[in-house]
Amino acid sequence: QAVAANPTNKAEDRVRALDLLQLYGPFPSVQYLIKLVRDEQPAVRRKAAYLLGIHAEPTGGGALMLCLRDPDPTVRRQACESLVRGAFLPPPEPLLPLLADTDRAVAFSARLVLEQIPVEKWKRLVLEARENRVFVLGSLALMRVSPDRDTAMAVLARGSRALKGQLSDPDFVDLLRTFQVALERSGIKGDEVAALRTQLAEEYPAGEFRMNRELLRLLAYMNAESIIPRLVEYLRSDAPQVDKIHAAMYARFITSGWTPEQKLVVLGFYE
């Protein structure tokens, strides 16, 4: 314990000392670990957060909540993972900003913590979130734990409003994927959300290949007949062959609205 507690020792030596205490005893107490989560060395803080997840005591949960604001992303991630491992049920408010963390691993881990909290405590917070990343990751959590029709319709409606604002290309792509998950998990069909289908159809074709692919995948699922003329024109264009192959592959899932001439264009591309 003296080696681990001494801030003048190397971080790797202090972490190894904590490993030995955990393996051979005496186990580090929660009070001892709470002190270490405030240490100056990130590796020590991370190991202390890890051990707090193993020794899942209520007082340790409070220390893990403090770690959510740690300047080091690996500590924030470990704090989230320990909250999951220890089956803690923290308040959702401190977790929501982490859904927009620049470190993808932190955002993913924060979503897992959110999913183990009763959904009624954070559903409204997600749907009313102003930050797009918070809404997108929070909606994925909603669709994993509560994929009912009403929740999915609320997610789709909130996402429709987001489409009317300014979105970066990555946020637009992730929003489209959120729509895909919501529709698939809830079983909602395109005809049931005709207004959203029309709104999305107006975006096709987009100027960026990832956006185009996700749009077409989604619109094909929704059977968006209105994009057929533009889809046929896209197949005739000088777009990259790999993108035209992707478009032709999904064209077959739009099951109505085709003219004989349009069908021949697609068949000709297949040949």
Side-chain angles (χ1 to χ4, degrees), residues 32-93:
Y32 178 75
L33 295 172
I34 289 174
K35 293 179 180 179
L36 291 182
V37 297
R38 298 182 176 89
D39 195 85
E40 292 184 358
Q41 296 175 331
V44 175
R45 299 199 301 272
R46 182 170 63 249
K47 176 57 71 171
Y50 169 79
L51 293 173
L52 284 171
I54 295 177
H55 304 281
E57 297 184 15
T59 53
L64 290 172
M65 295 303 293
L66 293 176
C67 292
L68 297 180
R69 301 196 297 269
D70 195 279
D72 188 279
T74 64
V75 178
R76 298 197 297 274
R77 174 185 179 180
Q78 185 59 68
C80 291
E81 292 176 353
S82 291
L83 286 169
V84 172
R85 182 171 189 169
F88 292 100
L89 297 177
E93 289 82 1

Side-chain angles (χ1 to χ4, degrees), residues 111-187:
R111 177 173 64 79
L112 296 184
V113 182
L114 199 62
E115 290 175 5
Q116 71 181 13
I117 302 171
V119 68
E120 62 273 8
K121 292 186 177 182
W122 52 272
K123 177 179 178 179
R124 179 183 59 80
L125 297 175
V126 166
L127 294 174
E128 295 179 357
R130 295 186 178 183
E131 171 64 51
N132 285 319
R133 298 300 306 168
V134 173
F135 165 69
V136 167
L137 268 294
S139 294
L140 287 178
L142 279 175
M143 287 296 96
R144 277 170 54 87
V145 302
S146 182
D148 57 273
R149 178 184 174 85
D150 289 343
T151 300
M153 291 298 284
V155 168
L156 296 173
R158 169 64 176 81
S160 176
R161 294 195 298 273
L163 280 177
K164 298 175 183 177
Q166 294 294 325
L167 293 172
S168 66
D169 287 356
D171 282 350
F172 184 80
V173 170
D174 285 344
L175 182 59
L176 295 178
R177 290 169 176 165
T178 301
F179 288 150
Q180 293 168 8
V181 172
L183 291 170
E184 194 280 330
R185 291 280 288 168
S186 65

